[in-house]
Amino acid sequence: MRPARRDTPRTLPARLLTGLAALIGLVVVGALCPGAALAQSPAARSAGVPSAGAQAAGLHIGDGRLLEGNGNDFVMRGVNHAHTWYPGETQSLADVKALGANSVRVVLSDGHRWNENGPADVAAVIEQCKANRLICVLEVHDTTGYAEDAAAGTLDHAADYWIGLKDVLAGQEDYVIVNIGNEPWGNTDPAGWTEPTVAAVKKLRAAGLQHTIMVDAPNWGQDWQGVMRANARSVYDADPTGNLIFSIHMYSVFDTAQEITDYLNAFVDAELPILIGEFGGPADQYGDPDEDTMMATAEQLRLGYLAWSWSGNTDPVLDLALDFDPSRLSGWGERIFHGVNGIAQTSEEATVYGDGAPDDTEAPTAPGAPSATAVTDTSVTLGWAAATDDTAVSGYDVVLVGDGTSSTVASSTTTTATVTGLTAATTYTFAVHARDAAGNRSARSATVEVTTDGGGTPGGACSVGYRVVGEWPGGFQGEIAVRNTGSAAIGPWTLAFAFADGQTVTNMWGGTATQDAGAVNVAPASYTATIPAGGTVTLGFTARKGDTNTAPAAFRLNGAACATP
């Protein structure tokens, strides 16, 4: 069964958390801003005294900032990638880089809960990051929700895992940050987070690891009770090298601008290094995160952010790319990569990859004019002749042209891309730009006009894809992709189908299922209630089964029969 990122409990209503966060801000503001200086006093800084991490090799902390070995201020702009669950998706790092990221946080396992990522695998991940000119944050995910989730591992076990990788990590301080453990405490007695966090930091330093260390907050990473905020000073001071950075995860707890700016500014004002190590934007059952403020504040304060997550979530609402395909960015993916304060607009590559050579300022040549190789009522596949560059072309952006403006509608690392979500019987004008690894963008290609088909498919304005994701004795996990093939949005909706072999749905995400014998009816969740024209919503579920597991033969959306590819 696919690991479900959004299984992470966030158990208090967002409105209640808002009040708690405001109260916490009053209680702990003094804890973050004592008279003692962080790594050095303002007087020492003005006198030119080096900061605590200034003598460190590679990435380090100075004056509350993440710096490269040469002292350059490095601001992470990247995403999370679930490597431990999808080890075969090795193209993902290149795809993330091609879309402009300068860093990636890679999910690993220390063997406590999932299959351990061994030394050879971790070494390969590091080399892939370096080959794609990305700074690599490596994290152990097994610690998620400790003290509340009985399956979670300890920070001490995670520290032992990192020490076991010491030979792999040695010499990679310029390229690798060690995130000890993901969300290493749940909502049960989060005050218990501080002592094991301090102990893990000390254990890694005693073993000789010199890398910048990242520590996640309790409360499933969101720190809504303010434990990390109140104890950040003591945790930071436990690191004798001073090369430690805090990571806050921002989901539905952070649904107002005030909560976000108060939290991040408290660390900045205290010269305590921090970044947003995970964050989401789409609304869920706990609230609606304010991703616009998260990204704007991170840019204003020059703090890093790493969006969750590239692809492969059990509930795909947080997939940036659908099915690991960089040409199929979701709305969330478009927001992160191409939106205001997004990665394409704000990311700067780490200078360690400059190799002392002059900056690459030469843009690629313009690609060839695109041509349409497949046209439907809601999509078109475009192809074009490759651009050239003095170093290498890293990707292409397809833009929709109109009224003197253009907007990116698809991205690709190859010379083809599919644009979806179009309206039937409508004429569109497309062009293509090429990009290189330094972010230089070519002139626009010549344009092509494409008119979509008239719309409609046999059996109604919908199609349904059904697949079994995984099976085990007595049960299975399934996925249903419902596509609106019409020219108008559908919502609200009800999906009906029937199982023939006694299968029984036990849990569903993306919707709510009711079942009578073999007949199943699904009502949408709040975030899937509308299916836009040309859009798709994906439902996931687990179910019980017997010896046979025949797929449903037909599906009806609001009473109309849907095509089944």
Side-chain angles (χ1 to χ4, degrees):
M1 188 167 72
R2 284 189 183 182
R5 176 64 193 80
R6 295 297 285 169
D7 283 350
T8 301
R10 290 171 174 87
T11 56
L12 293 184
R15 290 297 124 200
L16 175 57
L17 298 181
T18 301
L20 284 171
L23 177 60
I24 291 163
L26 294 174
V27 172
V28 303
V29 66
L32 274 179
C33 303
L38 168 63
Q40 62 178 160
S41 68
R45 288 199 304 277
S46 64
V49 178
S51 60
Q55 303 306 311
L59 292 159
H60 61 280
I61 303 299
D63 296 337
R65 305 289 304 170
L66 178 63
L67 308 176
E68 294 188 69
N70 62 2
N72 179 68
D73 195 59
F74 182 67
V75 180
M76 288 192 207
R77 289 288 181 266
V79 304
N80 287 260
H81 170 53
H83 171 75
T84 196
W85 304 312
Y86 301 98
E89 296 293 343
T90 55
Q91 177 64 26
S92 292
L93 299 188
D95 292 340
V96 166
K97 177 63 180 183
L99 288 165
N102 64 16
S103 48
V104 62
R105 182 171 178 257
V106 180
V107 177
L108 301 176
S109 172
D110 64 7
H112 176 83
R113 187 167 186 175
W114 296 286
N115 292 331
E116 179 179 341
N117 296 100
D121 186 30
V122 176
V125 168
I126 294 172
E127 289 309 307
Q128 289 165 11
C129 284
K130 292 166 68 175
N132 288 290
R133 303 168 75 90
L134 293 163
I135 296 301
C136 204
V137 179
L138 302 177
E139 62 103 340
V140 163
H141 214 76
D142 307 66
T143 57
T144 306
Y146 182 80
E148 186 173 349
D149 187 338
T154 65
L155 280 171
D156 187 64
H157 189 270
D160 287 340
Y161 172 74
W162 295 121
I163 292 169
L165 292 172
K166 183 178 176 181
D167 290 346
V168 172
L169 298 171
Q172 305 298 335
E173 291 85 356
D174 276 312
Y175 310 97
V176 172
I177 292 173
V178 174
N179 189 178
I180 308 177
N182 180 69
E183 301 179 0
W185 210 275
N187 292 327
T188 303
D189 187 28
W193 166 89
T194 305
E195 184 176 344
T197 299
V198 167
V201 170
K202 290 182 175 179
K203 190 171 191 175
L204 293 179
R205 294 309 187 204
L209 270 74
Q210 297 299 309
H211 305 71
T212 295
I213 289 175
M214 185 182 294
V215 296
D216 283 9
N219 294 127
W220 301 88
Q222 296 201 81
D223 200 30
W224 61 264
Q225 289 176 285
V227 171
M228 185 172 82
R229 185 170 167 178
N231 293 278
R233 177 71 61 191
S234 62
V235 173
Y236 184 88
D237 289 345
D239 182 357
T241 72
N243 293 320
L244 181 146
I245 187 168
F246 296 95
S247 173
I248 183 67
H249 293 183
M250 290 186 166
Y251 292 99
S252 51
V253 166
F254 291 92
D255 59 354
T256 70
Q258 193 68 50
E259 291 164 331
I260 296 162
T261 56
D262 282 354
Y263 196 94
L264 296 177
N265 275 292
F267 279 77
V268 171
D269 291 346
E271 294 186 354
L272 286 167
I274 191 168
L275 84 161
I276 307 174
E278 286 184 22
F279 69 106
D284 60 22
Q285 63 266 45
Y286 304 107
D288 188 359
D290 183 0
E291 70 276 15
D292 291 340
T293 298
M294 295 175 202
M295 296 167 72
T297 305
E299 180 63 13
Q300 176 193 2
L301 299 176
R302 299 289 290 161
L303 302 180
Y305 66 63
L306 300 166
W308 188 277
S309 78
W310 176 238
S311 197
N313 290 282
T314 303
D315 184 343
V317 69
L318 284 174
D319 280 358
L320 296 160
L322 304 180
D323 296 324
F324 296 93
D325 184 349
S327 70
R328 298 173 60 211
L329 294 183
S330 65
W332 174 227
E334 288 290 349
R335 174 69 187 92
I336 289 299
F337 287 106
H338 302 307
V340 176
N341 297 310
I343 286 174
Q345 191 179 91
T346 65
S347 177
E348 298 177 12
E349 186 176 84
T351 59
V352 69
Y353 292 116
D355 300 321
D359 290 340
D360 179 7
T361 59
E362 183 175 336
T365 62
S371 59
T373 57
V375 180
T376 72
D377 57 325
T378 60
S379 67
V380 58
T381 299
L382 300 172
W384 55 87
T388 60
D389 188 58
D390 61 327
T391 55
V393 174
S394 60
Y396 297 90
D397 296 324
V398 177
V399 294
L400 178 63
V401 181
D403 297 327
T405 64
S406 64
S407 58
T408 301
V409 291
S411 297
S412 177
T413 56
T414 68
T415 55
T416 63
T418 299
V419 182
T420 60
L422 305 178
T423 301
T426 303
T427 300
Y428 295 90
T429 302
F430 299 103
V432 183
H433 293 272
R435 287 178 281 103
D436 62 19
N440 299 308
R441 198 182 199 201
S442 75
R444 197 174 76 191
S445 72
T447 60
V448 63
E449 283 193 355
V450 178
T451 301
T452 52
D453 290 345
T457 59
C462 57
S463 67
V464 173
Y466 177 94
R467 70 185 183 107
V468 173
V469 176
E471 293 188 82
W472 55 92
F476 70 103
Q477 180 181 339
E479 182 178 277
I480 304 170
V482 185
R483 181 171 177 78
N484 176 1
T485 58
S487 58
I490 298 174
W493 53 264
T494 301
L495 181 71
F497 61 94
F499 285 122
D501 300 320
Q503 301 98 318
T504 304
V505 175
T506 56
N507 184 41
M508 177 170 281
W509 47 97
T512 302
T514 56
Q515 186 165 351
D516 182 8
V520 181
N521 284 278
V522 179
S526 59
Y527 56 91
T528 59
T530 300
I531 312 176
T536 300
V537 298
T538 303
L539 313 172
F541 67 94
T542 55
R544 292 190 291 270
K545 71 174 183 68
D547 293 335
T548 55
N549 188 18
T550 306
F555 295 84
R556 301 183 73 86
L557 188 68
N558 289 346
C562 297
T564 52

